[in-house]
Amino acid sequence: MSRTILYDGLNLSLKKGTGVATYARSLLTTARALGYHTGVVYGIQSNIPRDPMLREIVLFDDNAQQEGGSALSMTKRWLRRRIAAPFGIRPVPIPLNGTVILKSLKAQIGDAESLYAASDLFSLSRRHFKRYGGRLTMSFEKQPDLLHCTYPMPLAARKALNIYTIHDLVPLRLPYLTEDDKRYHYRMLRALVRKADHIVTVSETSRADIINVLGVEEKRVSNIYQAVHVPQALREKPEDMVADELAGIFRLDWKKYFLFFGAFEPKKNISRLVDAYLSAKVDLPLIIVGAPGWKGAETQQLIEEERFRFYLRERDRIIPQRRIQRFDFVSYPMLVSLIRGARAVVFPSLYEGFGLPVLESMQLGTPVLSSTEGSIPEIAGKGALLIDPYSTDDMRKALHSLANDDDLCLELSRAGPAQAARFSVDRYQKRVGTLYDSLFRGSF
C-alpha cells in the first residue's frame, strides 16, 4: 500500500508564485513520480462551507479570501482566533468533482490527489504558537503518513511523521534585510527543530547554518537541493519566434538587454545593481521583473528618477530612452523568453538559501552575473560570473565586461548548462526518494 504525503498550500495558493511555490510544486510532482499518494492542505480566509460542491468553488474563489461571512460565522472565527484552537483542528476534504474548470489553475494544486482546507489555517498556527508555544495539530479524514511543510510553520499532523523545510536563516543571520518578527521567528524555529522528525533544506550553506545557529544534530538535517524543469516547448522555441515576442511585447532586441527577475526586497541588492548599471554607462537597457515588497518603494523611487535620464538621437530629434524598465509580473512562458533573449541575467543577491534564478538562467544557456555570498557559489560553480555584491564598483566592471566581451558571454553560455545539469530533475528525484525512504524506514 502506497504511503500518503501531505504538503502545505501556503505558497501554492499565491497567483504570482515564489521560489518556495516552485519548490512545493517540484516536491509534489516528484513524490507522485516516486509512487506516493499526495495531498495539499490549504488555508482559506473565510468559513468552509458544509456543501461539498461549494467547498470546491470557494477554494478557487479569490473573493472568498477576503469575505468574512455571516455575523454568526464571524463570531465563531473571532472566538477561535482568540483561543487559537488549543485542541487542534480538523481540515475538511475538498472534493474535486469537475465543477470548477481547473485548466488555468493547475499550478495551485499541482499533482495532488487529495485537497483539504481549514479556515485561517496558517495565521491560526502562528497565533496558536504565540499563545501556547507549540505546534497547531491537525487530524484528517484519512490520516497522512507524513506531513511535509515546505516552509517553516508551527503545524503538525497527528499520528504522522512531521518534517519541515527551512530554506535559509536570513531573518536571523541578516535581520536588517527582512521584515519578519525576529523574536517569533527565532522561538518558532527553535521549537520546530526540537519537535520535528526531520529537517530538510536546499543547500549545504543553509544546512551548515541550521546546524551551527539552531544547534541541530547533523544527522537530523538533509540537503536535497532543488531542481528546475523548463518545459521542452519553451526551451526549444525557435530563437526568431522568441525575438519577435520580445520586440513586439517589450520592444527589446535579442541579446541586447540585461535582466533581473525575483523578489523586490532588500536582500536582492537591487539598489546597488541600479547604481552599478548607471555608472557602467552601457547602451543595453536593464529590465527588472518583480513587484515591490518590503522597502521596495525606496528602490522604485530610484528607478523612476533615473529611467528617463538617457536620451537617444534619432534623425533630428532627441527622444527619451527607457534605460531601466520594470514589470511587476510576467507570465512564466514570457519570463522564459525574457531569460533566453537577455545578454545576461544579473542576480547580485546578498544572501540566498539556493538561488533559483541563477539555476534557471544557466539551464537556458544565458550568461549569469551573481554573488559570492550565501549559497550562490555552491549552485553556480564555474557556470556564472560571481562578484562581491557589496562592491558597486565590482558590479559595474562586470556589467561593462558582459556588455562588451562576446567571448566572455559565449564562455558563460556554454558553462552554465553543464553546471545546471548537476541539479537535474533525475538527480533531484533520487535525493527526494532517498529522504522519504529513510524517513519511512526510520533510518534517521
Side-chain angles (χ1 to χ4, degrees):
M1 182 177 179
S2 179
R3 304 272 191 170
T4 298
I5 301 176
L6 194 65
Y7 299 92
D8 68 279
L10 175 65
N11 288 278
L12 287 174
S13 61
L14 298 177
K15 301 298 183 295
K16 294 184 179 181
T18 64
V20 181
T22 300
Y23 174 79
R25 294 186 195 107
S26 295
L27 275 177
L28 272 167
T29 301
T30 301
R32 289 283 290 127
L34 291 168
Y36 292 106
H37 293 303
T38 58
V40 178
V41 57
Y42 291 95
I44 296 180
Q45 295 177 26
S46 64
N47 292 294
I48 309 296
R50 292 177 180 269
D51 186 319
M53 183 179 294
L54 189 55
R55 288 181 197 168
E56 179 184 359
I57 294 169
V58 168
L59 179 63
F60 299 104
D61 176 19
D62 287 347
N63 294 322
Q65 304 302 314
Q66 300 174 3
E67 294 179 355
S70 66
L72 177 61
S73 64
M74 290 178 67
T75 301
K76 288 180 178 178
R77 289 177 65 207
W78 177 86
L79 182 61
R80 185 170 63 174
R81 289 173 177 174
R82 184 74 175 175
I83 65 174
F87 305 110
I89 61 171
R90 188 179 180 87
V92 299
I94 308 292
L96 296 182
N97 296 318
T99 302
V100 177
I101 299 172
L102 297 173
K103 291 181 179 180
S104 62
L105 299 176
K106 186 64 175 175
Q108 286 183 249
I109 62 173
D111 292 309
E113 299 169 282
S114 57
L115 305 181
Y116 294 88
S119 180
D120 301 315
L121 174 63
F122 305 115
S123 58
L124 183 64
S125 72
R126 290 189 289 271
R127 285 191 292 270
H128 180 92
F129 181 82
K130 289 179 179 180
R131 188 173 182 86
Y132 302 108
R135 301 172 297 180
L136 176 65
T137 57
M138 301 180 292
S139 57
F140 296 88
E141 182 179 79
K142 294 182 179 179
Q143 283 297 120
D145 297 287
L146 185 151
L147 172 69
H148 189 162
C149 286
T150 61
Y151 191 80
M153 64 189 77
L155 278 175
R158 287 195 177 105
K159 299 179 180 179
L161 295 170
N162 290 276
I163 69 174
Y164 305 85
T165 295
I166 301 176
H167 295 260
D168 59 56
L169 293 187
V170 170
L172 305 184
R173 299 216 61 198
L174 295 90
Y176 45 86
L177 293 183
T178 73
E179 62 177 336
D180 304 78
D181 180 340
K182 308 307 185 302
R183 290 182 175 85
Y184 164 79
H185 199 73
Y186 177 74
R187 290 196 296 265
M188 184 267 293
L189 286 178
R190 292 297 297 265
L192 278 189
V193 299
R194 285 197 304 269
K195 295 289 187 179
D197 290 291
H198 204 67
I199 298 297
V200 182
T201 193
V202 294
S203 67
E204 288 302 312
T205 301
S206 288
R207 184 172 183 270
D209 281 351
I210 292 166
I211 292 168
N212 296 328
V213 177
L214 298 179
V216 185
E217 295 178 77
E218 291 187 16
K219 65 180 181 180
R220 297 188 60 238
V221 187
S222 293
N223 167 31
I224 60 172
Y225 285 117
Q226 294 197 62
V228 172
H229 175 65
V230 179
Q232 183 177 0
L234 299 180
R235 292 197 314 268
E236 298 182 358
K237 183 185 293 186
E239 290 184 1
D240 58 344
M241 291 181 60
V242 177
D244 287 344
E245 286 180 350
L246 297 173
I249 297 173
F250 302 102
R251 296 185 180 180
L252 295 172
D253 294 327
W254 177 262
K255 299 299 179 183
K256 295 295 184 181
Y257 59 91
F258 291 121
L259 172 68
F260 167 90
F261 64 98
F264 211 89
E265 59 189 15
K267 78 169 185 175
K268 301 304 182 184
N269 207 22
I270 301 174
S271 293
R272 281 194 185 90
L273 170 60
V274 170
D275 287 342
Y277 168 77
L278 293 171
S279 62
K281 297 181 180 180
V282 295
D283 293 335
L284 308 182
L286 171 62
I287 310 303
I288 297 176
V289 177
W294 182 62
K295 290 190 175 181
E298 299 172 10
T299 305
Q300 177 61 21
Q301 182 178 359
L302 174 63
I303 293 173
E304 292 298 334
E305 289 174 353
E306 299 291 350
R307 67 195 300 187
F308 291 113
R309 289 193 179 183
F310 177 72
Y311 292 87
L312 178 69
R313 181 177 295 278
E314 185 178 279
R315 295 183 181 175
D316 295 325
R317 298 182 301 155
I318 302 294
I319 59 174
Q321 179 74 11
R322 297 165 72 95
R323 291 190 74 181
I324 303 176
Q325 301 181 46
R326 188 185 66 77
F327 302 92
D328 279 2
F329 175 73
V330 297
S331 67
Y332 180 69
M334 193 53 58
L335 177 60
V336 173
S337 291
L338 279 169
I339 297 171
R340 288 184 61 193
R343 176 75 172 184
V345 165
V346 290
F347 192 73
S349 178
L350 297 176
Y351 207 92
E352 293 292 325
F354 186 82
L356 273 174
V358 173
L359 181 58
E360 289 169 322
S361 303
M362 290 194 306
Q363 187 181 85
L364 291 168
T366 299
V368 174
L369 167 62
S370 196
S371 164
T372 55
E373 296 294 309
S375 67
I376 297 297
E378 180 183 345
I379 307 306
K382 296 181 180 179
L385 178 60
L386 305 183
I387 49 92
D388 176 2
Y390 293 95
S391 172
T392 302
D393 191 51
D394 285 358
M395 207 181 305
R396 175 190 65 79
K397 292 175 182 176
L399 287 168
H400 190 272
S401 294
L402 287 167
N404 296 284
D405 191 337
D406 292 339
D407 290 337
L408 172 62
C409 288
L410 180 60
E411 178 184 346
L412 291 172
S413 68
R414 289 173 175 170
Q419 175 67 14
R422 300 179 61 188
F423 304 92
S424 68
V425 172
D426 289 342
R427 292 187 178 189
Y428 181 71
Q429 182 172 311
K430 290 178 181 178
R431 290 191 291 267
V432 174
T434 298
L435 169 71
Y436 289 153
D437 286 347
S438 298
L439 284 165
F440 289 130
R441 289 199 312 266
S443 300
F444 286 121

